[in-house]
Short mmCIF file of all heavy atoms in Angstrom, two decimals:
data_model
loop_
_atom_site.label_atom_id
_atom_site.label_comp_id
_atom_site.label_asym_id
_atom_site.label_seq_id
_atom_site.Cartn_x
_atom_site.Cartn_y
_atom_site.Cartn_z
N ARG G 477 23.18 57.32 13.34
CA ARG G 477 24.16 58.19 12.79
C ARG G 477 24.15 59.53 13.45
O ARG G 477 23.17 60.02 14.02
CB ARG G 477 23.71 58.48 11.25
CG ARG G 477 23.93 57.22 10.35
CD ARG G 477 23.47 57.55 8.98
NE ARG G 477 23.23 56.39 8.23
CZ ARG G 477 24.19 55.91 7.33
NH1 ARG G 477 25.20 56.48 7.12
NH2 ARG G 477 23.89 54.78 6.58
N GLY G 478 25.32 60.19 13.41
CA GLY G 478 25.56 61.46 14.09
C GLY G 478 25.06 62.58 13.09
O GLY G 478 24.77 62.27 11.88
N ALA G 479 25.33 63.87 13.53
CA ALA G 479 24.81 64.96 12.64
C ALA G 479 25.50 64.95 11.36
O ALA G 479 25.13 65.50 10.32
CB ALA G 479 25.12 66.31 13.36
N ASP G 480 26.85 64.38 11.35
CA ASP G 480 27.59 64.32 10.09
C ASP G 480 27.17 63.25 9.06
O ASP G 480 27.77 63.01 8.11
CB ASP G 480 29.18 64.29 10.40
CG ASP G 480 29.40 63.00 11.26
OD1 ASP G 480 28.43 62.20 11.53
OD2 ASP G 480 30.57 62.73 11.64
N GLY G 481 26.29 62.47 9.46
CA GLY G 481 25.68 61.42 8.66
C GLY G 481 26.41 60.08 8.84
O GLY G 481 26.11 58.98 8.20
N LYS G 482 27.48 60.12 9.71
CA LYS G 482 28.31 58.87 9.80
C LYS G 482 27.80 58.04 10.93
O LYS G 482 27.21 58.53 11.94
CB LYS G 482 29.76 59.25 10.22
CG LYS G 482 30.50 60.02 9.08
CD LYS G 482 31.90 59.78 9.09
CE LYS G 482 32.63 60.53 7.97
NZ LYS G 482 33.29 61.74 8.38
N PHE G 483 28.04 56.77 10.88
CA PHE G 483 27.61 55.93 11.93
C PHE G 483 28.29 56.24 13.17
O PHE G 483 29.53 56.50 13.28
CB PHE G 483 27.96 54.40 11.59
CG PHE G 483 27.03 53.72 10.53
CD1 PHE G 483 27.67 53.27 9.32
CD2 PHE G 483 25.73 53.71 10.68
CE1 PHE G 483 26.85 52.76 8.40
CE2 PHE G 483 24.89 53.16 9.66
CZ PHE G 483 25.42 52.62 8.60
N LEU G 484 27.61 56.16 14.25
CA LEU G 484 28.22 56.57 15.67
C LEU G 484 28.89 55.36 16.24
O LEU G 484 29.80 55.59 17.09
CB LEU G 484 27.14 57.09 16.60
CG LEU G 484 26.48 58.57 16.37
CD1 LEU G 484 25.20 58.74 17.02
CD2 LEU G 484 27.64 59.50 16.75
N TRP G 485 28.46 54.11 15.88
CA TRP G 485 29.00 52.97 16.66
C TRP G 485 29.61 52.14 15.58
O TRP G 485 29.24 51.97 14.39
CB TRP G 485 27.77 52.14 17.18
CG TRP G 485 28.10 50.88 17.97
CD1 TRP G 485 27.78 49.64 17.50
CD2 TRP G 485 28.80 50.81 19.18
NE1 TRP G 485 28.33 48.73 18.48
CE2 TRP G 485 28.94 49.40 19.51
CE3 TRP G 485 29.39 51.75 20.08
CZ2 TRP G 485 29.58 48.93 20.54
CZ3 TRP G 485 30.16 51.22 21.12
CH2 TRP G 485 30.14 49.90 21.48
N PRO G 486 30.91 51.52 15.93
CA PRO G 486 31.61 50.71 14.86
C PRO G 486 31.06 49.44 14.50
O PRO G 486 31.29 49.02 13.36
CB PRO G 486 33.08 50.59 15.55
CG PRO G 486 32.75 50.73 17.06
CD PRO G 486 31.59 51.70 17.20
N GLY G 487 30.16 48.93 15.39
CA GLY G 487 29.52 47.63 14.96
C GLY G 487 30.39 46.39 14.91
O GLY G 487 31.48 46.39 15.48
N PHE G 488 29.93 45.43 14.29
CA PHE G 488 30.78 44.10 13.96
C PHE G 488 31.23 43.58 15.34
O PHE G 488 30.39 43.49 16.23
CB PHE G 488 31.76 44.31 12.87
CG PHE G 488 31.08 44.81 11.64
CD1 PHE G 488 31.38 46.18 11.21
CD2 PHE G 488 30.23 44.04 10.91
CE1 PHE G 488 30.70 46.62 10.05
CE2 PHE G 488 29.66 44.54 9.72
CZ PHE G 488 29.80 45.79 9.38
#
Side-chain angles (χ1 to χ4, degrees):
R477 292 176 193 260
D480 58 2
K482 296 210 177 102
F483 288 120
L484 286 163
W485 181 249
F488 304 107

